[in-house]
Amino acid sequence: MSQICWLGPQDSFPNPLLTPDPDPSVPGLIAVSERIYPAQLLQAYQLGIFPWYSDEQPVLWWSPDPRMVLKPNDFHCSNSLQKCIRHFYEDAQAELLVDADFGAVIRACATSARKDQDGTWITHEIMDAYTTIHEQGYAHSLALVEQGEITGGLYCVAIGGMVYGESMFSRKPNASKIALAALSAWCIENQVAMIDCQQETKHLRSMGARPLPRLEFLQQLQISLNQSNIVPSWKFNKQILTHWL
């Protein structure tokens, strides 16, 4: 059994294809570090690795097997959700804002109460690192605004033809689902084959996400990252939701 490596600021991640699960007692844990550096964060995503830890822990880097993914065409738009989307779309005062206030969206994800979960993995260090890569053009936010207030949204990371979903929040029923519907429709329009959802939850499964063996995920990831024909624009609005209407 190899030892889980401790990363310094300039160190590279072990490749999950070559060194899966250094410690079988902690499946999916690839590496540990003291801090998150934006350049290291981007390298991690390109290898199919993501950070997930609590305030009292060091930074834990994961590549789970299986990996939860949502193929955009498999997004489950139920009749009730379709009605919510139509109501939002037809409301002249409702807006879908993309990259308008990344900080507000990630803070809302960090502070939203979640069932059976105390605290948050979105620490101040996480917020700082993702804000930096947002400024570099790699992280994006979607926010639903109704009557001047943000009611829901999500943030994600996008590199090449790959989108990595990070976190969602709702301050109104179905708001995060509408945001995910918008992201899925955008992915379909831009030939993005899958949205990485990282870990399995009942909520994600209900939206159409499915587990994928890690090897298959990592192989598809490299194909997506190498798609030079995809140069997506993140300038879109609620018109994208007509895909589901």
Side-chain angles (χ1 to χ4, degrees):
M1 181 180 70
S2 59
Q3 190 174 19
I4 296 173
C5 70
W6 187 282
L7 299 177
Q10 306 302 321
D11 293 337
S12 297
F13 288 91
N15 189 328
L17 276 173
L18 304 176
T19 55
D21 287 356
D23 184 349
S25 68
V26 192
L29 182 60
I30 295 296
V32 180
S33 65
E34 185 177 356
R35 294 190 57 193
I36 290 181
Y37 297 92
Q40 216 168 34
L41 182 60
L42 290 173
Q43 182 199 45
Y45 276 108
Q46 292 175 75
L47 291 169
I49 300 168
F50 61 88
W52 185 52
Y53 64 105
S54 300
D55 257 331
E56 67 277 8
Q57 296 176 317
V59 182
L60 306 178
W61 300 90
W62 301 85
S63 178
D65 186 10
R67 187 71 161 247
M68 200 68 168
V69 303
L70 172 61
K71 296 182 179 180
N73 279 309
D74 291 342
F75 177 78
H76 178 59
C77 189
S78 64
N79 290 337
S80 60
L81 179 56
Q82 188 178 53
K83 290 178 183 177
C84 292
I85 291 173
R86 185 176 298 280
H87 181 268
F88 177 81
Y89 178 73
E90 293 178 350
D91 182 352
Q93 303 301 313
E95 299 178 278
L96 175 67
L97 301 182
V98 179
D99 287 343
D101 193 339
F102 184 86
V105 171
I106 195 170
R107 286 192 300 273
C109 288
T111 57
S112 292
R114 302 178 193 278
K115 185 178 179 181
D116 301 325
Q117 180 178 318
D118 295 325
T120 178
W121 66 272
I122 306 174
T123 64
H124 289 292
E125 185 177 27
I126 286 279
M127 287 190 274
D128 288 345
Y130 282 85
T131 298
T132 296
I133 65 171
H134 164 68
E135 292 167 352
Q136 296 171 348
Y138 294 107
H140 303 277
S141 64
L142 278 65
L144 276 65
V145 178
E146 300 175 74
Q147 298 180 343
E149 299 290 334
I150 297 179
T151 57
L154 60 80
Y155 74 98
C156 61
V157 172
I159 303 173
M162 185 67 198
V163 169
Y164 310 79
E166 285 303 311
S167 187
M168 304 183 291
F169 74 98
S170 286
R171 293 171 176 162
K172 181 179 178 180
N174 293 311
S176 64
K177 292 181 181 180
I178 295 174
L180 184 57
L183 179 62
S184 298
W186 178 89
C187 287
I188 292 168
E189 188 174 280
N190 287 276
Q191 304 172 58
V192 173
M194 65 179 179
I195 301 169
D196 175 28
C197 299
Q198 300 178 349
Q199 302 183 73
E200 183 170 356
T201 67
K202 183 178 179 181
H203 176 67
L204 286 169
R205 183 177 282 276
S206 74
M207 301 305 295
R210 296 292 180 267
L212 197 66
R214 177 167 55 192
L215 177 59
E216 190 175 340
F217 169 78
L218 294 174
Q219 290 171 338
Q220 181 59 54
L221 170 64
Q222 292 309 310
I223 293 171
S224 297
L225 290 173
N226 292 330
Q227 285 181 295
S228 58
N229 61 314
I230 294 182
V231 186
S233 168
W234 284 87
K235 295 181 180 179
F236 63 97
N237 55 36
K238 68 178 183 179
Q239 184 69 30
I240 199 81
L241 289 166
T242 58
H243 178 87
W244 307 108
L245 300 179

